Amino acid sequence: MEGTVVAVVLLALLGLIVLKSGMRVVNQVERGVVFRWGKALPSHRQPGITFLIPFADRMRKVNVQVVTMPVPTQEGITKDNVSVKVDAVVYFRVTEPLRAAIEVQDYHFAVGQVAQSSLRSIIGKSDLDDLLSDRERLHEGLALMIDSPAAGWGIHIDRVEIKDVQLPESLKRSMSRQAEAERERRARVITADGEFQAAQQLANASRIMSDTPEAMQLRLLQTVVEVAAEKNSTLVMPFPVELLRYFDRAAANLGAQNTGTQNPGPQNPGPQSTGPQNPGAQNGEAQIAGAEIAGAEIAGAQNPAVESPTAQKALGLAADFIAKSLPEQQPQENDGRP
């Protein structure tokens, strides 16, 4: 009796040992691939407690989480012959644990090598502008190149992103100068556009003022009020341009008369008058010439920028005319006639 009890206890202990040796726990993020006598079973084990046949089954756990794998920096030459260094990152996960455990020895290493070769290939097929600005299209193409061989291994490539593009220092300086020149060009265009619009508005205002002369007078008074509001001791009054034009025309007429005096026509051989000339007429001509010279001097003093060459010539002619007429204004000797 006692021997039977001992045998039952021994058998129970042996059963527990065997049962414990065949019991396995699969985590939530893993899947179990069972090899029985070296042959993989067609279905993988789900998360939880699973039992294996002792000494016959062997289970390999495969992680199905998303794996983040950085791609080492790859140096290459772009399509437009620029040497760059590019690094990227790959996000992938196992979708078929059985194929990932059977088809490839180390799928982490395999995906890393494919990612490096694909990155160098995409660098050679792209321009520098695409690497800097059109990265979304490059990401799609790079993911497609890596996903083609990885799909046979039971691996799905979620996404691939280019992290950084390292450029030579000389190229960075050239790009900075180009960007500075572009910003300066835009600033000049904006300034020229503003000046063009301002000129258009000024032209419209001048047309309106030419149609209504009273507007010019009102604008003049407004300018005087604005200048007087500055509490200045000097008040600048603008000189009318029409007055300068009047002096210019008067000087031109005087020059024409002087030219006719210097080039007289054929003289009349008839008797000449020997009587005294009229000093009042000469004095009046001298006063007119003096007024013209004074007006031209006032115009030049008020606004030297608008003094014309014709006015300067007229001033010279007027001075000559006055010099010739002054001796004639002196009182003549008394010859005894009243």
Side-chain angles (χ1 to χ4, degrees), residues 277-290 321-332:
Q277 298 180 357
N278 188 5
Q282 295 179 356
N283 190 14
E285 294 179 356
Q287 291 178 358
I288 293 174
F321 179 77
I322 293 174
K324 292 179 181 179
S325 61
L326 286 177
E328 297 178 359
Q329 298 177 9
Q330 296 178 357
Q332 300 180 359

Side-chain angles (χ1 to χ4, degrees), residues 155-173:
I155 297 173
H156 174 69
I157 305 298
D158 287 344
R159 61 185 306 171
V160 182
E161 293 183 356
I162 296 176
K163 292 170 53 179
D164 187 22
V165 178
Q166 301 178 10
L167 303 177
E169 293 297 330
S170 59
L171 183 59
K172 290 181 180 179
R173 290 192 294 268

Side-chain angles (χ1 to χ4, degrees), residues 238-251 292 294-296 298-300 302-303 306 311:
F239 195 81
V241 181
E242 289 76 6
L243 186 58
L244 297 179
R245 292 175 182 173
Y246 169 76
F247 285 128
D248 194 4
R249 289 193 298 268
E292 297 293 341
I298 292 173
Q302 292 290 337
N303 196 351
V306 298

Side-chain angles (χ1 to χ4, degrees), residues 209 213-228 235-242:
M209 289 184 178
E214 295 81 3
M216 179 62 73
Q217 299 298 329
L218 294 176
R219 182 58 182 166
L220 176 61
L221 295 176
Q222 183 181 359
T223 304
V224 172
V225 171
E226 292 178 357
V227 173
L235 181 62
V236 179
M237 292 294 294
F239 195 81
V241 181
E242 289 76 6

Side-chain angles (χ1 to χ4, degrees), residues 76-90:
I77 300 177
T78 60
K79 190 176 181 180
D80 50 354
N81 299 324
V82 178
S83 178
V84 295
K85 294 181 179 180
V86 182
D87 55 355
V89 59
V90 181

Side-chain angles (χ1 to χ4, degrees), residues 255-276:
Q257 294 177 3
N258 192 10
T259 303
T261 305
Q262 293 179 358
N263 298 323
Q267 297 181 359
N268 186 6
Q272 298 179 359
S273 174
T274 59

Side-chain angles (χ1 to χ4, degrees), residues 89-166:
V89 59
V90 181
Y91 301 91
F92 67 93
R93 60 187 177 86
V94 177
T95 56
E96 299 181 17
L98 186 61
R99 300 183 66 178
I102 297 175
E103 298 295 337
V104 62
Q105 181 179 6
D106 187 356
Y107 61 88
H108 289 88
F109 180 76
V111 171
Q113 294 300 315
V114 172
Q116 294 180 28
S117 60
S118 300
L119 182 58
R120 286 194 296 268
S121 178
I122 207 70
I123 290 174
K125 295 179 180 179
S126 305
D127 295 332
L128 179 61
D129 294 338
D130 296 336
L131 289 176
L132 297 177
S133 60
D134 194 11
R135 291 190 180 183
E136 293 296 332
R137 184 177 60 84
L138 297 180
H139 294 167
E140 295 177 359
L142 192 58
L144 183 61
M145 294 177 64
I146 300 175
D147 190 63
S148 297
W153 304 333
I155 297 173
H156 174 69
I157 305 298
D158 287 344
R159 61 185 306 171
V160 182
E161 293 183 356
I162 296 176
K163 292 170 53 179
D164 187 22
V165 178
Q166 301 178 10

